[in-house]
Amino acid sequence: MSETVSVGIPDRGSIPVEHTWNLEKLFRSEQAWEEALVEYERQIPGIDRFKGTLGRSAENLRECLDYMMRLERDGERLGYYAHLRVSEDTGSSEHQARFARYVRLAS
């Protein structure tokens, strides 16, 4: 009779770097993500300046759409990074907190 070998999920720190996601294309560091989140939060109230102006001209509409597209793009980038970090290690309360902060802002 052969023995059964139990293989568990390896700890994130024991995975060779070449077998992990390279998230540096999204943000070079967690500090860079933090700075981008602060900037994203600062930009959210800016959408209010377009209230009641969209029908005045095509330029106003275009400016609003450009602003919203930039905001959406920045939010997606923040969200992808936060979500992938949680996926790396679902047991990390730090990663979970980062994702929750993003979700709170993006909602």
Side-chain angles (χ1 to χ4, degrees):
M1 193 182 279
S2 64
E3 288 186 38
T4 303
V5 177
S6 176
V7 178
I9 298 173
D11 179 70
R12 180 71 182 159
S14 67
I15 305 292
V17 173
E18 62 270 11
H19 298 298
T20 63
W21 289 318
N22 179 1
L23 299 181
E24 288 185 1
K25 292 194 182 216
L26 292 170
F27 293 99
R28 292 196 104 12
S29 66
E30 290 181 7
Q31 180 61 36
W33 185 89
E34 294 288 342
E35 291 167 5
L37 186 70
V38 168
E39 178 62 19
Y40 180 70
E41 185 173 18
R42 187 189 68 72
Q43 291 177 359
I44 291 171
I47 199 71
D48 290 342
R49 75 175 190 255
F50 298 105
K51 186 175 182 178
T53 68
L54 302 183
R56 291 185 189 157
S57 70
E59 292 80 23
N60 283 8
L61 179 59
R62 172 67 186 259
E63 185 180 345
C64 179
L65 291 174
D66 287 346
Y67 190 87
M68 291 179 68
M69 290 295 289
R70 280 192 307 276
L71 196 61
E72 181 65 25
R73 183 192 63 230
D74 293 347
E76 283 184 12
R77 191 169 160 236
L78 285 160
Y80 290 148
Y81 183 89
H83 184 262
L84 290 171
R85 292 305 308 256
V86 167
S87 296
E88 283 179 342
D89 184 356
T90 58
S92 169
S93 59
E94 180 182 338
H95 297 334
Q96 290 174 10
R98 179 182 300 109
F99 185 68
R101 287 173 45 225
Y102 161 74
V103 168
R104 180 186 61 80
L105 281 178
S107 297

